[in-house]
Amino acid sequence: MIDAHVHVWDTARRELPWLPAGHPLRRDFALTDLVEDGSLAELVLVQADSDPAEIHDLLDLAARTPAVVGVVGWFDLLGSTLDLPNDPRLVGIRSPPADQTDPEALTSPAHISGVRAATDAGLAIDLLLRPPALLGAARLADAVPQARLVLDHLGNPNSVDTDWLTGMKALAAAPNVTVKLSGTAHLPSDDFKELVGITLDLFGSERLMFGSDWPVCTLTGSRSDVVRRTAALLPPATHNDVFRGTAQRIYRPRETAP
């Protein structure tokens, strides 16, 4: 299995403004905390802080940890240039917009230019958005058809509503968009089942990948709980794609990208 969405952080080194003082997640989380059943499986580490220094910490950790098959780091896609480390473990960029509900932010000239530069460097682009912004992501997919866009956390829905369903249908029409079944531990079982069913129907298993969103998932359960819960909702024939194949194809090392 490849768990395509795992975070680690050291609160002495990371500001993590999205975690206020006293929040139960505002403590250190290391890969040694993730060991379950004697195995880490394989992991993609994903940015947690909008700090360009974080990528070096994640790449250093990846270099020491064979289980880490890729890193999705933060870079300013709105900047004039991308100063990327020359490390094949860097497989993607996540640079969330300031307003994750604004569809226009995805297709600003500066953002499109940044996505094109990351794409030319062989990197996938993770998108952390809310349902109202999904139509903007679909327009971005059309504007940069060579980009490998990965929608994190199913677009962060709480249930099947009009914004989410309209946006997901538009994204499904863009062949360069993949959806990550992550960030779902908090969803009630009935809502989660409906959301996964619709997403599978729209995108097919070859465009879905699994991510536990550890340690955020620990607010409601363990990483193993998330794996079992997700697997139970998917036909067995889809498991190879969702739990390994799609992540292998999308998060490939830069030197093998076209």
Side-chain angles (χ1 to χ4, degrees), residues 17 78-79 91 118 126 131 180-181 183 211 217:
L78 303 181
V91 297
D126 270 44
K180 198 178 287 186
L181 302 182
C217 69

Side-chain angles (χ1 to χ4, degrees), residues 26-137:
R26 193 161 188 86
R27 62 181 182 86
D28 296 349
F29 286 94
L31 286 186
T32 52
D33 301 319
L34 187 55
V35 176
E36 294 174 8
D37 302 323
S39 174
L40 283 174
E42 291 185 322
L43 312 171
V44 176
L45 299 180
V46 179
Q47 69 90 213
D49 204 11
S50 298
D51 177 359
E54 182 191 35
I55 185 61
H56 299 290
D57 290 349
L58 296 179
L59 289 172
D60 287 346
L61 178 58
R64 304 191 307 270
T65 312
V68 176
V69 296
V71 169
V72 176
W74 185 89
F75 294 93
D76 183 9
L77 287 178
L78 303 181
S80 57
T81 60
L82 285 177
D83 185 15
L84 301 172
N86 185 24
D87 190 324
R89 297 176 186 86
L90 179 63
V91 297
I93 287 179
R94 185 165 81 158
S95 182
D99 182 354
Q100 295 175 18
T101 66
D102 180 10
E104 303 306 318
L106 281 299
T107 52
S108 72
H111 191 255
I112 287 178
S113 177
V115 169
R116 283 181 176 148
T119 299
D120 290 344
L123 301 176
I125 311 295
D126 270 44
L127 300 175
L128 182 61
L129 304 171
R130 306 289 168 176
L134 298 184
L135 285 176

Side-chain angles (χ1 to χ4, degrees), residues 4 150 178-182 205 207-211 241-243 246-247 250-251:
V150 180
T178 301
V179 176
K180 198 178 287 186
L181 302 182
S182 58
S205 64
R207 294 170 63 191
L208 302 183
M209 71 174 81
F210 169 77
D241 285 339
V242 175
F243 289 99
T246 303
I250 297 299
Y251 290 132

Side-chain angles (χ1 to χ4, degrees), residues 15 21 28 42 58 103 113 126 130 140 145 158 186 188-189 202 204 213 234 255:
E15 292 188 12
D28 296 349
E42 291 185 322
L58 296 179
S113 177
D126 270 44
R130 306 289 168 176
L140 173 65
N158 290 318
H186 67 288
S189 295
L202 287 173
D213 197 25
L234 295 167
E255 68 265 27

Side-chain angles (χ1 to χ4, degrees), residues 111-215:
H111 191 255
I112 287 178
S113 177
V115 169
R116 283 181 176 148
T119 299
D120 290 344
L123 301 176
I125 311 295
D126 270 44
L127 300 175
L128 182 61
L129 304 171
R130 306 289 168 176
L134 298 184
L135 285 176
R139 292 194 289 269
L140 173 65
D142 184 61
V144 193
Q146 301 86 3
R148 286 171 283 135
L149 303 179
V150 180
L151 180 66
D152 290 349
H153 308 338
L154 286 83
N156 285 294
N158 290 318
S159 61
V160 177
D161 62 20
T162 299
D163 281 343
W164 182 81
L165 187 57
T166 300
M168 293 297 274
K169 287 180 177 177
L171 287 168
N176 55 331
V177 176
T178 301
V179 176
K180 198 178 287 186
L181 302 182
S182 58
T184 61
H186 67 288
L187 293 169
S189 295
D190 288 346
D191 289 333
F192 183 45
K193 180 178 180 180
E194 185 178 15
L195 290 162
V196 170
I198 290 171
T199 304
L200 179 60
D201 286 344
L202 287 173
F203 290 85
S205 64
E206 70 279 1
R207 294 170 63 191
L208 302 183
M209 71 174 81
F210 169 77
S212 66
D213 197 25
W214 187 90

